[in-house]
Amino acid sequence: MTAILKELGTRTLIMGVLNVTPDSFSDGGLFSDQATAVSHACEMEKAGADIIDVGGESTRPGHTPVGAEEEQRRVLPLIQALAPILTVPISIDTYRAATAQAALAAGARIVNDVWGFQRDPGMPAVVAEHGAFAIVMHNRAQLNASLDIMADLMRFFEHSLALARQAGIPDAHLILDPGIGFGKTADQNLEALRRLPELKALGFPVLVGASRKSVLSRFYDPQVPPRDRLFGTLGAHLAAVSRGADIVRVHDVRAHVEACRVADTVLRTLP
């Protein structure tokens, strides 16, 4: 099921977001019912999603953390239901090793760790044990507007990659994510997008997830609700693709499939 990842570098892959949380910033509570969540996952696959990313805890600013037991109660039955029917890989969006272990055993094939192996020390070993792929995201606990954000990204990933290699995770199983909207000012988010080629120079595929985030509406209308931020999202993601992003993590799958197909046709056929 991770054969789809072999297409990295030939086209932009689309990761569809499936939050089964009551407090997600964009679609909290919409898919907390399993039947609805399964249906939505199948709809995203039909629309062209290459990966379905299942999350059981909101990571929006000011979110209320949940325990591993509650997180697993939300995501494991869904992963067990989806694994036999989806033809695309399932990603588990968690920073907890115990949840990743259970999700991989249930049928997930990718771990999407918003703390890049640096929150739960057991995570790299779990990924290595299962031969899973991992998305390693940059994050910060606090804003610091004085930082050179790319220098901070590079330091963070140097540590994350060292942890991965110590655990025996092959470099070929790692994907880097600059963490748009996580522990960064609006200007730092833009800087991270502008300087994606520096991140790509590390030699790893890059994922960008700016879908519906408030950082986008700050540049045109802060009052626009998350579900109405599609155009800003497309702008950010197409800019990222033009700078080397290999995967975009999105709520609106069909729009991104169409937009990225056009972008890929132009950008990947340039001399």
Side-chain angles (χ1 to χ4, degrees):
M1 291 180 70
T2 47
I4 194 73
L5 296 181
K6 293 180 180 178
E7 297 186 41
L8 283 168
T10 66
R11 65 180 180 89
T12 304
L13 301 187
I14 308 298
M15 172 185 274
V17 178
L18 182 55
N19 290 317
V20 286
T21 61
D23 57 344
S24 171
F25 81 97
S26 173
D27 51 12
L30 287 180
F31 308 112
S32 55
D33 171 77
Q34 180 166 312
T36 305
V38 168
S39 176
H40 186 57
C42 293
E43 288 171 2
M44 288 195 290
E45 181 183 40
K46 185 176 180 180
D50 298 293
I51 305 164
I52 302 298
D53 190 41
V54 176
E57 178 182 352
S58 173
T59 52
R60 64 177 173 80
H63 72 282
T64 301
V66 300
E69 183 176 341
E70 174 61 17
E71 182 184 36
Q72 291 169 36
R73 186 193 67 78
R74 295 174 180 179
V75 301
L76 294 182
L78 177 58
I79 292 171
Q80 289 164 351
L82 290 175
I85 61 176
L86 293 181
T87 62
V88 298
I90 298 167
S91 169
I92 176 63
D93 182 355
T94 186
Y95 55 86
R96 294 184 178 91
T99 299
Q101 176 80 269
L104 291 168
R109 294 292 177 266
I110 304 166
V111 173
N112 182 9
D113 185 348
V114 299
W115 281 99
F117 297 154
Q118 296 187 36
R119 176 58 64 91
D120 187 333
M123 183 67 89
V126 168
V127 172
E129 175 190 344
H130 286 268
F133 284 72
I135 297 157
V136 180
M137 197 191 85
H138 174 270
N139 207 336
R140 291 185 54 79
Q142 295 181 330
L143 295 178
N144 182 345
S146 67
L147 279 177
D148 176 336
I149 198 62
M150 284 307 297
D152 194 69
L153 278 160
M154 294 302 183
R155 287 190 295 268
F156 183 95
F157 285 130
E158 181 180 10
H159 183 41
S160 292
L161 292 171
L163 293 172
R165 289 162 178 159
Q166 289 166 12
I169 303 171
D171 281 3
H173 283 201
L174 298 172
I175 298 159
L176 305 184
D177 178 351
I180 302 303
F182 286 82
K184 300 172 184 66
T185 66
D187 287 343
Q188 287 171 339
N189 283 301
L190 284 180
E191 187 74 3
L193 286 173
R194 288 191 190 105
R195 296 172 67 181
L196 274 185
E198 295 175 44
L199 187 54
K200 282 284 290 185
L202 294 178
F204 295 86
V206 169
L207 178 149
V208 170
S211 188
R212 300 182 178 178
K213 292 184 177 176
S214 60
V215 63
L216 303 175
S217 63
R218 290 175 189 173
F219 303 112
Y220 51 90
D221 184 353
Q223 303 306 313
V224 172
R227 289 177 65 84
D228 293 334
R229 294 173 186 160
L230 172 59
F231 299 139
T233 296
L234 285 170
H237 283 158
L238 292 177
V241 169
S242 74
R243 286 160 171 76
D246 300 281
I247 307 173
V248 288
R249 181 179 181 274
V250 311
H251 296 84
D252 302 285
V253 170
R254 181 177 176 181
H256 280 85
V257 169
E258 294 179 3
C260 289
R261 189 167 296 163
V262 174
D264 286 344
T265 301
V266 175
L267 295 168
R268 296 183 190 275
T269 58
L270 288 174

